[in-house]
Amino acid sequence: MAWIRRLLIACMLVACAGTAWAQQPAVPAGVPAGMTREQFDALVEAISKSVAEKIKTAPVADAGKPAAAVAPAVVDDLEAKVGAFLAHAGTVVLALPQLAHDLARIPKMLDQSEQGGRGALVFLILLSCAAAAAVAAEFGIRRLFEEARQRMSAEAEQRSGLHAVPLIVLIALVDVVALGAVWLVSYGAAGAFFHGTDGQSKLAALVLTGLFAWRLYMLAFRVALRPGLPGARLAVMGNDEAWLVYRRISAVILAIVGLRIILRVLIAIKADSAGISFGQVVAALVIFGAFMWAVRDCRAAVGEWFADLGRVEGRVSLGERAGRSWAVFAVPFFAVLTLAQIYGAVALRFSIPSAMLLTLNVVITLILLETLSDFLTRRMEGHMLATKTARPARLSDVVARCVRIAAFIAAATIVAQTWIVDVFALVDQSGWQQLTRRSVTAGMTLFLAFVGWELVKFFTNRYAAANGAVGTGGPVDEDAAHPGGASRLATMMPLLRIALAIVITIVALLIVLSELGVNITPLIAGASVFGLAISFGSQTLVRDIVSGIFYLADDAFRVGEYIDCGKAKGTVEGFTLRSIKLRHQNGQVHTIPFGQLGQITNFSRDWSTLKFNLRFARDTDLEKLRKLTKKIGQEMLEDPELKDEFIEPLKMQGVADILDNAIVVRFKFTVKPSKPTFVQRQAVKRMVASFAANGIEFASATVSVQTVGGGDPAAAAAAQSIAARSQAAANAATAAASAG
């Protein structure tokens, strides 16, 4: 309470006075130094009366209702603040004449002719010449290197990938040199003509510093927009749109710089505070109007720019839609900043313009960094498209995404601290640190979880791309090469990713909840009970999951292998926690739970031996047949298309059977399991050609029938029927042997 504070202050004064008196032995006892006994007694009596009156008039709080006396005081304090704000707002609105009077004082204060200095007109002309010289120096240097900049821009447009980056950097260096010329001319003019401490020198310093700040801002936008230099442009827009956006942004920033200079001049000449507040309100409204003017003219061009920042290949993403509708978010953002500046002007909170400028700088920096990142990504994707190669996943992409998230978090923290602590003073610095300690820990945990998940995705995807091969059909009747199975680790990679994702998510959430003050022990116990209930209630699901784990542990199949599980045949395309997907060679996809797989027959593991029979005439020279077969096998081992497939060459095993009109000979070879039937067809084709060229005849299906009586038509017909059936049987046997 106020009277208690006064009492404490009085006691402190008395204590300090007593201490000082104790150090002065010449003063009468009980009287502080510098005071007489009468003065001291009068002071004590006055303090006593004040304390007694405060105690009498102070309301006695009801012990049973301690909080009831606080609420009216809070309401009264809020009403008092609102009333004071409205009263000062009325004063600010009526300060227009005073603001005009203070502005009219500026030319008179700049006139130093009576003191032997420059007149106001001479000073303004000299200052204008210095500013014009600084701007002319920048444009002159840029014009001097214009031909080289155009040539580098054209060459950068022709280069692919990141090979154009050095040229873009050289073009930017020219702009940096031009900005350096602005700095040299500005500060050189300030040192040569405005080096005093009078009002003219201070105004010149403000103007020249503001001029340099304007050109510094425009350097950043020039690098991103590059009007006139399409080959070096970072943003996605046409040349006319780039010029339009650049000029509108230049006008808005120049208006902001000019109005801040005027306000600082008003503060420097010690103008009326209400007039300065009115000037801040007018400046905020003018800046907001300039922004709305720029939005109206640049909405489509900037929308295309921002939409490209959020574009995702193959679909219209939410980021792309938000980018095209950027004005829907930008107008309320600037409206809030304008209202905050108006509030600061009326409430005499002069830190709000600085906070607004900081917020704007942070937003601009994020946009430009995102534009640079998008430009580098587009250049790499364009290079890969031109060379018809797939863009490999790179660790730099993961680092870029993590740095982007970290930049957004840092920007949000800086802006929040500026407005919450420095502007609105909702909490002090110590309160902010206490408030953000747990939040920062939770945020860092989530960020590290994000980084961990990005690294898991990167390494698992890269390993799967390097080692995982997925087939499109079985090995039967495959003429073309058929990729083999993936490695064991690549096969288990999807399950590994799911497991790591679950672990990262659970650990991160538990840490965050713990830092936010949530007791996580009941959550862990509840999760255990819930998991147990799921286990008992979903026995089929548990059986599928457990069966899948054991199948993978036994390495029964891998992605890309051709298997037969009894229920279906096909190539393993992938699997989840509970089921496997098989692609049949005819195109069908079978999804089978692990619990229903049963026995697995893997046709794609290690090697494959094929045996087939061919029928030859009974008088065939078997030794000659063996040598010809060995020669064919050697030729196939030397064939570039087939040599890498063989493990054991083609050879003749021997006679498998003897028929009435033929002998059956068996052949075999061992190859890799990727395309065995293709190798078999190649072998049979070579054997047919080679045997015919060397007098080896295949068995004929013709059957000789001798009849008594010569020309009996019925007997001839019976003989032809028997021959036809024999031919059909031989053809069927040959086809079966060829099919393996």
Side-chain angles (χ1 to χ4, degrees):
M1 299 175 67
W3 66 271
I4 297 178
R5 289 199 299 269
R6 295 175 185 173
L7 177 60
L8 292 175
I9 293 173
C11 293
M12 292 176 61
L13 291 174
V14 173
C16 293
T19 303
W21 168 81
Q23 297 175 356
Q24 300 291 334
V27 179
V31 180
M35 298 181 64
T36 64
R37 169 66 67 178
E38 291 77 12
Q39 291 175 340
F40 179 75
D41 293 339
L43 177 61
V44 172
E45 184 179 0
I47 293 175
S48 300
K49 290 181 179 180
S50 176
V51 172
E53 290 176 359
K54 291 294 183 182
I55 293 176
K56 290 179 181 180
T57 58
V60 180
D62 188 357
K65 299 179 180 179
V70 179
V74 175
V75 174
D76 292 342
D77 185 62
L78 180 60
E79 291 179 353
K81 289 183 178 180
V82 173
F85 177 81
L86 294 177
H88 193 263
T91 305
V92 170
V93 172
L94 298 176
L96 177 59
Q98 183 63 38
L99 176 62
H101 174 72
D102 291 333
L103 291 174
R105 290 167 49 199
I106 297 177
K108 296 179 181 179
M109 296 181 63
L110 293 177
D111 189 2
Q112 298 181 359
S113 57
E114 295 181 359
Q115 291 81 16
R118 304 186 189 94
L121 181 60
V122 175
F123 165 73
L124 293 176
I125 292 175
L126 188 60
L127 180 60
S128 301
C129 291
V135 176
E138 178 187 7
F139 283 92
I141 291 179
R142 194 177 296 121
R143 185 65 180 173
L144 180 64
F145 292 96
E146 181 65 24
E147 184 178 351
R149 294 166 69 238
Q150 292 288 347
R151 186 170 60 253
M152 286 188 291
S153 173
E155 186 176 351
E157 194 171 9
Q158 297 298 324
R159 291 188 179 183
S160 62
L162 300 180
H163 299 290
V165 172
L167 296 176
I168 296 175
V169 172
L170 289 177
I171 296 174
L173 286 178
V174 174
D175 293 323
V176 172
V177 172
L179 183 64
V182 175
W183 182 82
L184 286 176
V185 174
S186 299
Y187 286 89
F193 304 106
F194 313 106
H195 55 276
T197 58
D198 53 354
Q200 290 185 354
S201 299
K202 293 180 179 179
L203 178 59
L206 284 175
V207 172
L208 295 177
T209 303
L211 176 66
F212 177 76
W214 172 46
R215 301 315 303 167
L216 179 61
Y217 272 101
M218 296 317 300
L219 171 64
F221 285 103
R222 176 175 287 275
V223 171
L225 299 175
R226 280 294 170 214
L229 300 174
R233 186 173 300 135
L234 305 184
V236 175
M237 62 178 65
N239 194 58
D240 294 338
E241 289 81 1
W243 273 115
L244 176 64
V245 174
Y246 180 80
R247 287 166 179 162
R248 294 299 182 269
I249 294 177
S250 179
V252 172
I253 295 179
L254 183 60
I256 294 174
V257 172
L259 291 172
R260 284 180 62 87
I261 290 174
I262 295 174
L263 292 175
R264 295 187 65 179
V265 169
L266 290 174
I267 296 173
I269 66 175
K270 298 180 180 180
D272 182 71
S273 60
I276 295 176
S277 299
F278 188 82
Q280 287 182 321
V281 172
V282 173
L285 295 176
V286 170
I287 293 172
F288 183 73
F291 170 75
M292 293 301 297
W293 166 69
V295 169
R296 184 199 64 183
D297 292 348
C298 306
R299 184 170 183 174
V302 177
E304 184 64 27
W305 175 12
F306 290 170
D308 182 74
L309 300 182
R311 183 170 288 122
V312 177
E313 189 67 27
R315 61 185 177 88
V316 180
S317 64
L318 181 62
E320 182 177 355
R321 294 176 181 174
R324 294 191 186 279
S325 305
W326 68 278
V328 176
F329 306 97
V331 171
F333 171 74
F334 271 90
V336 170
L337 291 183
T338 303
L339 292 176
Q341 187 172 3
I342 292 174
Y343 166 77
V346 176
L348 299 180
R349 303 294 301 275
F350 298 112
S351 59
I352 288 184
S354 299
M356 186 187 75
L357 187 60
L358 174 65
T359 304
L360 194 60
N361 289 337
V362 168
V363 173
I364 291 174
T365 302
L366 291 177
I367 292 175
L368 295 180
L369 288 178
E370 191 70 17
T371 301
L372 177 61
S373 174
D374 178 73
F375 169 77
L376 297 177
T377 303
R378 279 189 285 109
R379 297 292 299 192
M380 284 301 302
E381 290 177 349
H383 172 69
M384 296 300 173
L385 184 62
T387 56
K388 297 182 179 180
T389 57
R391 184 177 184 271
R394 298 174 302 171
L395 187 60
S396 59
D397 298 333
V398 178
V399 175
R401 285 194 295 270
C402 295
V403 169
R404 180 184 304 167
I405 297 298
F408 276 104
I409 294 175
T413 303
I414 293 173
V415 172
Q417 181 177 2
T418 301
W419 287 95
I420 294 175
V421 179
D422 300 335
V423 176
F424 295 114
L426 299 179
V427 294
D428 56 7
Q429 190 65 34
S430 61
W432 171 259
Q433 292 177 357
Q434 184 178 3
L435 176 66
T436 58
R437 184 181 63 82
R438 292 180 178 272
S439 301
V440 168
T441 303
M444 287 299 299
T445 301
L446 293 177
F447 175 71
L448 291 178
F450 172 78
V451 173
W453 173 239
E454 287 290 329
L455 292 176
V456 168
K457 285 200 305 181
F458 169 73
F459 287 112
T460 54
N461 287 337
R462 186 172 69 172
Y463 187 89
N467 300 279
V470 180
T472 58
V476 181
D477 295 331
E478 290 279 335
D479 288 334
H482 151 82
S487 67
R488 187 175 185 182
L489 182 58
T491 300
M492 300 182 66
M493 199 67 72
L495 294 182
L496 180 64
R497 285 183 58 174
I498 294 174
L500 290 176
I502 294 174
V503 170
I504 291 174
T505 302
I506 292 177
V507 172
L509 287 179
L510 290 178
I511 294 176
V512 169
L513 292 176
S514 177
E515 286 296 328
L516 295 179
V518 178
N519 187 7
I520 62 175
T521 303
L523 294 177
I524 297 176
S528 302
V529 174
F530 181 75
L532 189 61
I534 290 294
S535 299
F536 282 111
S538 304
Q539 296 183 15
T540 303
L541 176 63
V542 174
R543 184 187 66 178
D544 292 336
I545 295 175
V546 174
S547 299
I549 292 175
F550 282 107
Y551 275 121
L552 295 177
D554 293 339
D555 196 20
F557 50 80
R558 301 175 185 176
V559 174
E561 293 183 339
Y562 188 83
I563 67 172
D564 181 3
C565 63
K567 295 182 176 296
K569 297 180 181 180
T571 303
V572 180
E573 283 201 339
F575 47 85
T576 61
L577 282 174
R578 63 170 298 272
S579 63
I580 185 174
K581 289 185 178 181
L582 300 180
R583 171 79 67 174
H584 193 266
Q585 59 263 27
N586 294 334
Q588 304 94 321
V589 176
H590 304 286
T591 301
I592 307 172
F594 285 120
Q596 301 179 14
L597 281 182
Q599 176 181 333
I600 299 295
T601 302
N602 196 325
F603 293 93
S604 303
R605 188 63 57 86
D606 301 331
W607 47 268
S608 178
T609 297
L610 269 74
K611 299 179 181 180
F612 60 96
N613 298 333
L614 294 179
R615 300 168 68 252
F616 296 93
R618 296 193 60 173
D619 58 350
T620 299
D621 187 350
L622 295 180
E623 182 63 21
K624 183 177 181 181
L625 179 63
R626 184 187 65 79
K627 292 180 180 180
L628 287 175
T629 302
K630 183 178 180 180
K631 181 180 179 182
I632 294 172
Q634 190 63 34
E635 291 176 354
M636 296 182 72
L637 287 177
E638 296 174 357
D639 191 321
E641 184 181 1
L642 301 174
K643 64 179 181 179
D644 294 332
E645 299 293 329
F646 277 96
I647 296 176
E648 291 185 6
L650 173 69
K651 57 184 170 181
M652 187 183 80
Q653 279 193 297
V655 177
D657 196 4
I658 300 177
L659 303 178
D660 291 338
N661 61 340
I663 57 174
V664 180
V665 181
R666 178 168 294 171
F667 303 88
K668 82 165 190 175
F669 60 87
T670 302
V671 293
K672 296 178 181 179
S674 58
K675 47 180 183 178
T677 56
F678 171 73
V679 177
Q680 179 184 352
R681 284 190 291 272
Q682 292 293 322
V684 171
K685 182 176 70 173
R686 294 168 183 260
M687 293 169 72
V688 169
S690 178
F691 293 164
N694 289 274
I696 302 294
E697 297 181 358
F698 289 96
S700 174
T702 303
V703 178
S704 299
V705 179
Q706 295 182 355
T707 61
V708 179
D712 187 358
Q720 291 179 359
S721 176
I722 294 173
R725 287 196 298 270
S726 300
Q727 181 66 42
N731 293 337
T734 303
S738 299

